[in-house]
């Protein structure tokens, strides 16, 4: 009796491993993504990577399908369509970055301000940062630090006086003149420390 399996009873070939699948179908998926994105190679690579990540999670089930390549194509197209629907997809890659004026802070002044802040007691430093860096009101600062509004005002005044002593002319140059509001200029100077 012949013991060779017939064509009907022959076992299906074993499903490919995921790395083998990626090696055999990855370039095709990338070409498809390149066409879908209108020639944006970087976006195409991102879409293929995202699609392959989705496939990898379900690979055991997908590998048993009759056509895992077709399934991968569908996942890629769906990934592309969902990317197009996202608001972040409105960004476009350009050849040249437009020049934008940047107001570079003075690094020496920044270090001086950070040193002056570091010399203050922790609670005074917290008052200045909350009041002038985070732009909180006296009441908000008082609530955050569990102090009275009067304590916040007095700590703020003392801490600013200490900083003026430490900074000298650097800080005096931006101090407000007579009749000018004090907090906005203090805030402007403290922002240079960031």
């Amino acid at each position: 009796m012949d013991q060779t399996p017939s064509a009907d009873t022959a076992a299906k070939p074993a499903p490919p491993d995921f790395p083998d699948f990626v090696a055999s179908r990855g370039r095709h998926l990338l070409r498809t993504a390149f066409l879908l994105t209108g020639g944006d190679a970087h976006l195409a690579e991102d879409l293929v990577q995202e699609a392959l990540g989705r496939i990898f999670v379900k690979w055991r089930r997908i590998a048993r399908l009759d056509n895992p390549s077709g399934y991968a194509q569908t996942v890629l197209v769906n990934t592309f369509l969902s990317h197009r629907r996202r608001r972040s997809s409105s960004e476009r890659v350009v050849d040249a970055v437009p020049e934008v004026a940047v107001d570079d802070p003075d690094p020496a002044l920044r270090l001086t301000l950070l040193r002056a802040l570091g010399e203050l007691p922790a609670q005074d430093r917290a008052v200045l940062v909350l009041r002038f860096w985070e732009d909180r009101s006296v009441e908000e600062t008082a609530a955050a630090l569990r102090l009275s509004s009067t304590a916040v005002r007095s700590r703020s005044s003392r801490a600013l006086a200490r900083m003026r002593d430490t900074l000298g002319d650097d800080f005096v140059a931006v101090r407000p003149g007579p009749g000018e509001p004090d907090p906005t200029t203090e805030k402007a100077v403290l922002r240079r420390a960031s």
Side-chain angles (χ1 to χ4, degrees):
M1 183 163 170
D2 186 19
Q3 299 223 342
T4 59
S6 68
D8 293 337
T9 61
K12 281 186 166 180
D17 290 332
F18 186 74
D20 294 338
F21 175 79
V22 173
S24 67
R25 299 303 298 166
R27 285 186 149 195
H28 181 75
L29 290 172
L30 186 58
R31 278 193 300 266
T32 302
F34 186 79
L35 294 173
L36 287 171
T37 61
D40 186 348
H42 298 291
L43 179 56
E45 291 172 356
D46 290 346
L47 291 174
V48 169
Q49 184 176 2
E50 187 174 338
L52 288 174
R54 291 178 183 180
I55 293 168
F56 178 75
V57 172
K58 301 176 185 176
W59 181 246
R60 284 187 177 185
R61 190 168 33 118
I62 294 169
R64 286 185 253 135
L65 295 175
D66 290 339
N67 187 4
S69 298
Y71 185 87
Q73 287 292 116
T74 302
V75 170
L76 177 65
V77 171
N78 289 338
T79 302
F80 167 73
L81 293 174
S82 68
H83 174 78
R84 297 292 301 163
R85 284 189 282 263
R86 281 187 241 146
R87 292 181 74 196
S88 64
S89 67
S90 62
E91 295 180 341
R92 299 286 176 239
V93 178
V94 294
D95 291 336
V97 179
E99 291 188 28
V100 179
V102 176
D103 183 23
D104 273 342
D106 181 11
L109 179 58
R110 177 186 175 165
L111 292 174
T112 305
L113 285 170
L114 289 173
R115 183 178 49 81
L117 276 172
E119 292 175 2
L120 294 174
Q123 197 148 26
D124 289 352
R125 194 174 338 141
V127 166
L128 287 184
V129 169
L130 290 175
R131 284 281 293 127
F132 302 114
W133 171 249
E134 292 187 5
D135 201 24
R136 293 190 185 189
S137 68
V138 171
E139 291 75 22
E140 291 170 333
T141 303
L145 297 175
R146 296 183 181 161
L147 298 170
S148 68
S149 297
T150 306
V152 168
R153 285 188 192 95
S154 64
R155 282 187 176 275
S156 178
S157 177
R158 278 195 316 261
L160 288 173
R162 285 186 195 141
M163 285 194 63
R164 283 187 191 106
D165 292 340
T166 302
L167 295 174
D169 291 337
D170 290 339
F171 194 73
V172 174
V174 292
R175 282 183 62 195
E180 290 182 15
D182 203 26
T184 56
T185 55
E186 309 292 1
K187 180 171 55 174
V189 171
L190 285 177
R191 287 199 184 271
R192 292 184 196 172
S194 65

